[in-house]
């Protein structure tokens, strides 16, 4: 399997995606529409129009993973991005909440101390 570290980003495609696409089609969407290098180790996440299915594209260093989740009931609370944005970026925690059925619009992130990056 694959683990998500704190540096892993999840690029979520805003709007609906035709999930009949496979490896090559989603690879092209991630690269061209989302502006993400599919071989970077970050995740590209897509949802269908009814928001009942997800597909995730991930490179583990040896090959591409294409994972699918289908809900038997209900819908994913798919976030919307800024006007004209093709994607939004989620943290691994936000991804876990989204896949777990949590509506991200009704959550808020606490402002915790973060050490500034060292310049040099």
């Amino acid at each position: 399997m694959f683990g998500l570290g704190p540096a892993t980003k999840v690029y979520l495609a805003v709007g609906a995606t035709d999930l009949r696409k496979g490896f090559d089609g989603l690879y092209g969407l991630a690269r061209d529409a989302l502006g993400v290098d599919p071989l970077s180790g970050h995740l590209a996440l897509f949802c269908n129009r009814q928001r009942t299915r997800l597909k995730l594209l991930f490179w583990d260093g040896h090959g591409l993973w294409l994972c699918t989740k289908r809900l038997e009931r209900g819908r994913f609370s798919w976030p919307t991005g800024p006007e004209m944005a093709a994607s939004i970026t989620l943290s691994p925690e936000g991804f876990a909440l989204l896949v777990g059925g949590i509506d991200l619009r009704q959550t808020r992130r606490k402002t915790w101390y973060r050490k500034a990056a060292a310049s040099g």
Side-chain angles (χ1 to χ4, degrees), residues 77-93:
S77 297
W78 202 247
T80 56
E83 193 67 30
M84 301 300 287
S87 70
I88 59 174
T89 306
L90 294 177
S91 66
E93 297 87 6

Side-chain angles (χ1 to χ4, degrees), residues 4 9 24 30 66 83-84 110 117:
L4 301 181
K9 294 180 182 174
D24 295 330
L66 183 61
E83 193 67 30
M84 301 300 287
K110 291 190 177 218

Side-chain angles (χ1 to χ4, degrees), residues 102-113:
I102 305 298
D103 186 352
L104 298 177
R105 293 173 296 195
Q106 297 180 4
T107 61
R108 65 181 176 86
R109 187 170 188 86
K110 291 190 177 218
T111 54
W112 287 353
Y113 169 76

Side-chain angles (χ1 to χ4, degrees), residues 4-120:
L4 301 181
T8 304
K9 294 180 182 174
V10 180
Y11 294 94
L12 181 139
V14 174
T17 302
D18 180 2
L19 293 187
R20 293 176 291 181
K21 295 182 184 296
F23 286 97
D24 295 330
L26 293 177
Y27 183 97
L29 277 177
R31 184 191 61 222
D32 300 336
L34 303 182
V36 175
D37 177 12
L39 305 181
S40 66
H42 298 300
L43 282 65
L45 188 62
F46 306 92
C47 187
N48 67 343
R49 177 166 295 148
Q50 294 82 19
R51 298 187 333 259
T52 57
R53 294 178 187 211
L54 295 178
K55 279 195 176 180
L56 177 129
L57 188 67
F58 174 71
W59 173 259
D60 70 355
H62 303 287
L64 282 172
W65 286 79
L66 183 61
C67 305
T68 304
K69 181 170 183 171
R70 180 186 74 191
L71 295 178
E72 295 299 322
R73 289 191 194 165
R75 298 177 188 275
F76 290 104
S77 297
W78 202 247
T80 56
E83 193 67 30
M84 301 300 287
S87 70
I88 59 174
T89 306
L90 294 177
S91 66
E93 297 87 6
F95 168 70
L97 291 172
L98 177 71
V99 174
I102 305 298
D103 186 352
L104 298 177
R105 293 173 296 195
Q106 297 180 4
T107 61
R108 65 181 176 86
R109 187 170 188 86
K110 291 190 177 218
T111 54
W112 287 353
Y113 169 76
R114 294 196 186 268
K115 184 176 180 179
S119 60

